[in-house]
């Protein structure tokens, strides 16, 4: 009789543990999907999903490191110089297109 009681208790614990693990797995899958959606939307991870403090600190360090690695901010003079070069490049392209169109028109008249 005592063995039967112990068996029932053990089986009950196994069943409760199995059910708990199943719900825990479902919860983790949902959290992973929410995080994936956050990343696709460009929202910082942890905005809608639950993240541990450890994960949040790790992400903050990564973002800080990435922001430090970014290119230095361009000065106004550098920006103007780059714009002038871009405008000159565009003018050169327009001249090339005009030349090509004139050649096509000239070749079309000869035929």
């Amino acid at each position: 009789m005592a063995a039967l009681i112990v068996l029932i208790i053990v089986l009950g614990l196994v069943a409760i543990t199995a059910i708990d693990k199943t719900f825990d797995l479902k919860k983790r899958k949902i959290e992973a999907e929410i995080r994936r959606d956050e990343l696709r939307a460009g929202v910082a991870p942890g905005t809608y999903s639950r993240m541990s403090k450890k994960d949040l600190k790790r992400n903050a360090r990564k973002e800080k490191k990435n922001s430090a690695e970014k290119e230095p901010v361009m000065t106004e003079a550098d920006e103007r110089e780059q714009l002038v070069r871009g405008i000159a490049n565009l003018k050169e392209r327009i001249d090339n297109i005009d030349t090509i169109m004139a050649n096509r028109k000239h070749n079309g008249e000869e035929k």
Side-chain angles (χ1 to χ4, degrees), residues 23-108:
F23 283 113
D24 188 46
L25 178 64
K26 287 181 183 179
K27 181 181 171 184
R28 282 190 279 140
K29 284 183 179 180
I30 290 170
E31 288 291 324
E33 184 65 31
I34 291 172
R35 280 196 195 112
R36 194 174 308 125
D37 290 343
E38 287 174 340
L39 291 175
R40 283 185 193 145
V43 179
T47 303
Y48 300 110
S49 62
R50 292 185 202 132
M51 292 184 73
S52 66
K53 290 183 180 180
K54 179 181 173 183
D55 290 338
L56 290 173
K57 287 179 183 177
R58 186 181 310 138
N59 286 341
R61 278 182 284 190
K62 284 181 183 177
E63 287 180 16
K64 188 175 182 181
K65 182 180 176 185
N66 288 342
S67 65
E69 292 177 356
K70 289 183 181 175
E71 294 180 17
V73 178
M74 293 179 63
T75 63
E76 197 171 312
D78 292 338
E79 285 183 31
R80 285 185 180 163
E81 182 181 327
Q82 189 176 20
L83 287 173
V84 168
R85 278 189 265 135
I87 291 170
N89 187 14
L90 286 174
K91 285 181 181 178
E92 185 179 323
R93 286 181 177 186
I94 290 172
D95 291 340
N96 288 341
I97 290 173
D98 289 341
T99 305
I100 291 170
M101 294 303 289
N103 286 339
R104 284 186 181 172
K105 191 173 187 180
H106 181 68
N107 289 340

